[in-house]
């Protein structure tokens, strides 16, 4: 008797490739889910204080739909996994909310905060108010963090006991990376732990907000916040941090690739 059963249809190349990717990524997805659940539990336990070892990464967003996905992927896949990523939607009129919420669904460590448009400083300050980590840093939503960005910075802080760490950075134009200016390269040529402005004033050349990883206790003690309604908001905060710190660390590892956009921002 002829067998009338037809063989099952073969998967086309595209679904087959996707299935293989899902299988390969399953351990990593399970690990991220475990990390997220663990961090949420620790946030609940330390409701009245900051969570030891946790790094809060504040990401202010406005009209960055072309760049936000790459930024958040770079933060989710950090070597330093004990992070909360606070995405602050500053009333962005584009696809920022949808992109951010997609990452929230994929990774419990990502949190979405919406606010009325108030500018970069206001968005950063909002993120700080939601942050629960022992450590605090900022990333602009069109930039990309290197995988080792925070293992380097927090490793230095744990070794030195300093108030904050200053990381090196490079430039990103399209897909091409290039070194930062000579002043930045010179300041970060050597790893320096526990220095201050008297012993290493050259550190002040690195004045951007997103190159610093702070102890939250220092941020609060120094009364730091970003000046709202003003331009060049990074410099006064960095200057105040350098001036008030008992000690800071300068590390040679690149933490963030600073994206140079077509408008040269």
């Amino acid at each position: 008797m002829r067998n009338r059963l037809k063989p099952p249809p073969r998967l086309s190349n595209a679904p087959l490739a996707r299935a293989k990717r899902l299988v390969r990524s399953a351990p990593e997805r399970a690990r991220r889910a475990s990390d997220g659940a663990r961090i949420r539990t620790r946030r609940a336990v330390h409701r009245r204080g900051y969570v030891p070892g946790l790094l809060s990464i504040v990401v202010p967003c406005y009209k960055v739909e072309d760049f936000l996905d790459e930024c958040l992927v770079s933060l989710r896949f950090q070597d330093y996994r004990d992070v909360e990523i606070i995405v602050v939607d500053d009333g962005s009129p584009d696809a920022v909310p949808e992109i951010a919420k997609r990452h929230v669904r994929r990774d419990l460590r990502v949190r979405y905060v919406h606010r009325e448009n108030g500018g970069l400083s206001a968005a950063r300050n909002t993120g700080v108010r939601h942050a629960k980590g022992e450590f605090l840093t900022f990333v602009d939503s069109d930039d990309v963090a290197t995988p080792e960005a925070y293992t380097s910075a927090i490793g230095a802080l744990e070794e030195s006991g300093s108030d904050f760490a200053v990381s090196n950075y490079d430039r990103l134009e399209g897909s091409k990376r290039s070194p930062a200016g000579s002043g930045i390269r010179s300041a970060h040529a050597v790893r320096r732990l526990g220095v201050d402005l008297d012993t290493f004033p050259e550190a002040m050349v690195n004045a951007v907000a997103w190159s610093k990883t702070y102890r939250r206790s220092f941020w609060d003690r120094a009364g730091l916040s970003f000046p709202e309604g003003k331009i060049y908001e990074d410099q006064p905060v960095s200057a105040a941090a350098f001036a008030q710190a008992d000690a800071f660390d300068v590390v040679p590892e690149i933490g963030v690739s600073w994206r140079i956009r077509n408008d040269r921002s």
Side-chain angles (χ1 to χ4, degrees), residues 4 38 49 98 186:
R4 297 179 181 276
R38 175 174 51 82
E98 291 77 14
S186 175

Side-chain angles (χ1 to χ4, degrees), residues 74-97:
S74 77
L75 297 176
R76 288 173 52 205
F77 287 87
Q78 282 294 307
D79 292 342
Y80 191 87
R81 304 183 68 91
D82 204 359
V83 302
E84 61 171 0
I85 302 163
I86 304 169
V87 183
V88 182
D89 170 14
D90 190 35
S92 190
D94 56 5
V96 158

Side-chain angles (χ1 to χ4, degrees), residues 14 25 36-37 61 64 68-69 121 131 172 180 185 189 194 207 220 223 233 244 260:
S25 65
C61 302
V64 286
L68 180 59
D69 188 68
S121 288
L172 176 64
R185 298 199 306 273
D220 292 345
E233 55 278 297
Q244 296 190 58
I260 309 300

Side-chain angles (χ1 to χ4, degrees), residues 23-51:
V23 170
R24 287 196 299 268
S25 65
E28 174 62 27
R29 286 185 285 114
R31 188 177 176 187
R32 289 201 307 272
S34 175
D35 287 342
R38 175 174 51 82
I39 288 169
R40 286 194 174 188
T41 299
R42 294 173 64 201
R43 282 177 54 88
V45 170
H46 295 85
R47 185 169 297 175
R48 296 183 180 277
Y50 300 126
V51 180

